[in-house]
Amino acid sequence: MDTGVNIDFDDTRRATRLLRWYPVAWRERYGEEFLDHLEQEFAERPHDRRRSVNVAYKGLVARVADVGLSSSTVGTEDRTRAALGTSFVLSVLASIITLNFWSRAMGLWSARKFHPIPVSATAGILTVATAFLMVVLIAMVVTVILYALRQAVHGRARPLLWPSIFAVVSGALLLYSVRWLPRMLERYSHMFQGGVRWTHLGSTIYAFSQITWVLTQQWVQLWGQASTSTPTAMIVVNDLVPVALLVFGVSIASLVRRVELPRISARLGMATVALLGALIGVFVLTYLVWLTAGGPMGTHYFVPEGSLAGVIYLIFLALIAILIGRSGLLARRFERTPQVTSKENTRPV
Amino acid sequence: MGLGRNAGAAVLILSSLAGGDKHGYALVKDVEEFAGVHLPPGTLYQVLARLESRGLIIALKADNRRRPYRMTAQGATVLAEYFTAQRRILKTGQARLKRSWTLA
C-alpha cells in the first residue's frame, strides 16, 4: 500500500529520538519498521503530543518488560537472564538494608540477659537468610567476572566493555569506602581480652554483626548528618556509596545479560532468582516476627532514623521480594510456553 | 487462548489482517477506515509484538523498511472465537435491553 507521503530529514531525527524510549532488543527487532511508521505519521500529522506521550509510555512499558518485570516478547534465555539481572540489582540494594537490620538484631540479642525462644529463633533465621543472601550475591559476581574474563581472553570482550568499565569504577569506589575494613577486623579480633575466638561461631557472628553495623549504618542513613570531624572527601564518598552500589548492581546485571554462560546456567539462573526472592521474603517476614516477639527490647531501635524510616525500609524490602518473585514467575511461565513455529500455524489464512 | 490485555486493539489489527497482509502504517489506515479508530504507534507495535509472540500473526520479509504482517490459522481461530463470544454478549444485551425498554 503506497501512502504517498514525503519524509524529510527532521522527521527521521524526531522518529529516531522517540525510538530511544525503547530497549535495545526491541529496537533491533522493530526499530526499522517503527521508524518508517513514525516518519509517515509525522508527514501526515506533524504535531501530536498524545502520539509522543503514547510512544514514550509504551517505550517505558517495553523497558520494564525488558528487565523481566512484565510480559515481554524476547527469547527464553533472555527472559531468564533479564530476571536474573534485575534480581541481582534489587538484591544488592536490599542486601545493605538486610545487613543493617540483622546487625541491629544481633547487637540487641547479645545485649540481652535472657533470650526468649522466639527472639533467638528469629535472630537465627535472620542470620542464616542474610548469610545466604550475601553468599549468593558474591557467587553471582564471581561467576560473572570469571566468565567475562574468559570471554575477553577469547577476544569477544567488545559487548562487555561499557558494563565492565562501570563495574570497575563503581566497585573501586565501594572498595575505597571500606578501605578501613582490615583494620576493623583486626580490632574486633582483639576485643574481649584475648580476642574473638574465630573458631567459635557465636562470637564470630557477633563480631561480624558489629562490623557490618558500622559499615552499613553510614549508607542506610542516606545523606544523614555527618559528624563535624569527618573530612569532606569522606562525606562525599559515603554519600556516593548508594549511587555506586546501584551503578555496580546495574553493571553486573548488564554483564549477566551479555556474558556467554553455559546452557545449564538458564536452569541455575531460575533457581537463583527464586532463592534471592525467597531469602529476602523470609528476611522481611522474620524481621516482622522479631519486632513483635520483643526483639527490640522496648527500645526505639527501629532502624535507622526512627520508626518511619524503618517502616519505609521494610516496605522497600517487601516490594523487592515481590518484584523478584514476579520476574522469576514471568520468566518461568515464558520458558514453559511452547514457541509457536509449526508449519500449520504459519499457513496463510 | 484469548486476546488478553488491549483486546480492542488486537481485534482491530486481526480484523484488518483478515483482509490481507499489511505493514504497520497500512494497518493504521485500514483500521481508521473501517472502525474510525486511530491506533497510536506505541500501542500498535505493542500489540503487534504480543500477537506475534503468541503466534497469532507472523512477520513477513521486509519490503525496504516496511515489514508486512500476516494472520496465522491460530490467529483466525482466536478472532473467530472472540466474535462468537461477542455475538453471544450482544444478543443477550440486546434482548435484555429490549425487555427493559418494553417494561419501562
Side-chain angles (χ1 to χ4, degrees), chain A residues 14 18 21 41-42 45-57, chain B residues 40-41:
Chain A
R14 273 175 70 201
L18 278 175
W21 285 96
E41 287 239 353
F42 291 155
R45 281 187 304 179
H47 301 290
D48 186 345
R49 196 170 295 165
R50 278 196 303 182
R51 178 179 56 209
S52 303
V53 171
N54 174 268
V55 171
Y57 172 67

Side-chain angles (χ1 to χ4, degrees), chain B residues 58-74:
Chain B
I58 51 165
L60 302 175
K61 198 165 173 266
D63 170 24
N64 200 1
R65 292 198 302 171
R66 293 172 193 181
R67 187 185 290 276
Y69 288 89
R70 174 177 292 170
M71 183 157 68
T72 62
Q74 195 180 348

Side-chain angles (χ1 to χ4, degrees), chain A residues 177-187 211-212 215:
Chain A
S177 72
V178 296
R179 64 191 183 284
W180 44 267
L181 200 60
R183 258 185 293 130
M184 189 88 163
L185 281 167
E186 192 189 2
R187 191 200 308 168
I211 294 167
T212 51
L215 197 69

Side-chain angles (χ1 to χ4, degrees), chain B residues 3-84:
Chain B
L3 287 167
R5 274 177 295 174
N6 275 332
V11 169
L12 292 174
I13 291 170
L14 287 175
S15 300
S16 175
L17 291 179
D21 306 343
K22 287 176 196 76
H23 59 76
Y25 193 70
L27 260 169
V28 169
K29 290 281 116 190
D30 186 46
V31 168
E32 250 175 25
E33 207 174 293
F34 77 76
V37 175
H38 179 77
L39 285 175
T43 306
L44 173 74
Y45 275 89
Q46 182 191 36
V47 178
L48 279 176
R50 209 182 60 238
L51 292 175
E52 194 187 357
S53 74
R54 296 172 78 173
L56 305 185
I57 62 172
I58 51 165
L60 302 175
K61 198 165 173 266
D63 170 24
N64 200 1
R65 292 198 302 171
R66 293 172 193 181
R67 187 185 290 276
Y69 288 89
R70 174 177 292 170
M71 183 157 68
T72 62
Q74 195 180 348
T77 309
V78 169
L79 187 64
E81 280 171 5
Y82 181 84
F83 283 145
T84 307

